[in-house]
Amino acid sequence: MLLLYIYVGQILTLTINMKTRKLGMSDENLAENRDKKAKKIQHPKGKLSAYERIDLLLDEGSFTEIDENVVSDENPDGEAVITGSGTIHGRPVYVFSEDFSIMGGSLGEIVAKKILRVMDLALDARAPIIGIKDSGGARIQEGISSLYGYAQIFKKNVEASGKIPQISVIVGPSAGGAVYSPALTDFIFQVQGIGQLYVTGPGVVKTVTGEDVSYEELGGVEAHGTKSGVSHQICENEEQAFEEVRYLLSFLPQSSNQKPPVFITEDDNERSVEMLDSLIPENRNHPYDMNDVINNIVDDGEQYPVQSNYALNIITSFSRVSGNTIGIIANQPLDFAGVLDIKASEKAARFVRFCDAFNIPLLTLVDVPGFLPGVEQEHSGIIRSGAKLLYAYAESTVPRVCVVVRKAYGGAYIVMDSMGLGADKLFAWPSAEIAVMGAEGAVDIVNRRDLESAENKEELKSKLVDEYNDKFSNPDIAAKLGLVDKIIKPSDTRKIVVEAFKELSNKTNLGDKHGNIPL
Ligand code: HXC
């Protein structure tokens, strides 16, 4: 509830801020004139100006522009990006906002210099950097020096990766070279209708492949939010995008040197959640919504899902327990039975690595029937993708708590933060089925000969499946082997998860660990 109030407060602040924007102290008139011209170009396209965007993003009146006098002969009144610093929820951040009204926001030598400088400042100050993207890519007139500028920015993105949170907001075209800097950042927010990412535009696509495609079809929110997974958040409009960036940052630390901020909650740490005792359907193959588990055990039922339109069979989201940020990775039985495929494995792996880099403890909720079988998955590299998730968990040093809710079969059991991979605390509900594989498949293999010679195959198979389930489809064997710490009542899950993270709270290893390579 507390956060909700803060959140509503932010929206009000933003509205006021729009009307009372204060620009950098020097050259106020220059900036005002520039903004007036920009609005004339941007508003008819349904887009805001670069300054308006900064206002929506930052705390009211907190923006200090830097390098406003750094101009080129071509653009003596200001170059195609505005850079500076400000605060979000009172904490320092750095920002650059590409200005499409000047040569289509294209990147030449001076623009690259300005962006590199603000990135350096962010790295030195160990504060997040947010890039607002609206650009036609490399400035054609400047040729190779604009390509060199991009290369330097990409290198800087990689240098900053895993050290400070890097966020991109796509509010216009991001064409050509302009796509790779966002792709190297941790989170991409993309605005419907105006935000598009593509390496080559529809014209070149038509020439090379003969395909007819619009800008929106090629690189809009549908393409990148649901199909390619390049974007993490789809937003209806710019206002929502900047509100969401602010909200995301409320879960994150300033850098790898810090822990995330703590939010005081009135939610009872000992709260029992009775509905969880009857959540799992009697039929083991029937689905339920994993969000019912998450929302009932985290503080105030609050979670912020990441990539919520992509690979729906796995949930990755930020939440809090006892006021502290956690990253949640959970199979979603409602989609594809929660199976792990290539997309889900990579989505989860990158999320785990981000959390590990930024000292965010992991809560894994398991209900996974296995890796998705099939020629298409094998030939597209499910082995490599599954290995990415294994790698991500195995190298993580943040506190890790795992709860097996229902199915945990085979390799998919191992990969979802099993004890062998390094989970610190592993709990299982009585409904947990921890086994090498599901009963049907196991009986087909182990009892093949008996089944072949049986008079009534169906009857025998059903009997053997029941026997297998009684013997193996439970958490008892894993508990006896010490691979489950405790079999817990589902209604006690919040209390037990809170205690486990409290116990592990000093485990976190502050400092640079690794980058967050796009997986
Ligand atoms: C110089 C550019 C430019 C560019 C746009 N402009 N892109 N100037 N270099 N890359 C200029 C236009 O000439 C125009 O100037 C103004 O910006 C606005 O552009 P419009 O085309 O009028 O706007 P709009 O109709 O909204 O179309 C936007 C657009 C289109 C879709 C982005 O401009 C476009 O397709 N641009 C080129 C995109 C592209 O292919 N970039 C790849 C560059 S190569 P005036 O003076 O008329 O207002 C690259 C390789 C790097 O980036 C690879 C690194 C890995």
Side-chain angles (χ1 to χ4, degrees), residues 34 38 41-42 45 47-50 53 79-81 97-106 132-137 171-175 198:
R34 176 182 173 160
I41 293 171
Q42 291 287 83
K45 288 179 187 274
K47 300 193 289 183
L48 297 174
S49 73
R53 289 165 171 164
E79 254 300 350
V81 70
S97 182
E98 292 173 344
D99 187 346
F100 189 85
S101 71
I102 296 173
M103 297 185 79
S106 57
I132 303 172
K133 311 289 295 178
D134 189 356
S135 164
V171 282
S174 233
Y198 42 85

Side-chain angles (χ1 to χ4, degrees), residues 45 47 100 102-107 135-141 147 150 154 173 175-178 180 198-201 204 215:
K45 288 179 187 274
K47 300 193 289 183
F100 189 85
I102 296 173
M103 297 185 79
S106 57
L107 184 127
S135 164
R139 184 166 295 168
I140 295 160
Q141 296 85 333
L147 298 186
Y150 267 128
F154 302 157
Y180 284 113
Y198 42 85
V199 175
T200 50
V204 178
Y215 283 107

Side-chain angles (χ1 to χ4, degrees), residues 69-110:
N69 297 318
V70 178
V71 294
S72 59
D73 293 343
E74 237 167 349
N75 297 303
D77 294 335
E79 254 300 350
V81 70
I82 290 159
T83 56
S85 63
T87 58
I88 290 182
H89 311 305
R91 299 189 297 166
V93 296
Y94 288 81
V95 59
F96 61 90
S97 182
E98 292 173 344
D99 187 346
F100 189 85
S101 71
I102 296 173
M103 297 185 79
S106 57
L107 184 127
E109 195 184 338
I110 298 294

Side-chain angles (χ1 to χ4, degrees), residues 18 35-50 52 238:
M18 283 285 287
D35 196 37
K36 233 185 244 169
K37 279 188 208 158
K39 283 176 182 159
K40 266 193 200 146
I41 293 171
Q42 291 287 83
H43 288 184
K45 288 179 187 274
K47 300 193 289 183
L48 297 174
S49 73
E52 285 178 304
E238 298 201 42

Side-chain angles (χ1 to χ4, degrees), residues 28 34 58 64 117 148 214 321 508-509 511:
E28 194 162 326
R34 176 182 173 160
L58 300 180
T64 304
R117 169 142 160 81
Y148 178 64
S214 68
V321 286
T508 304
N509 200 0

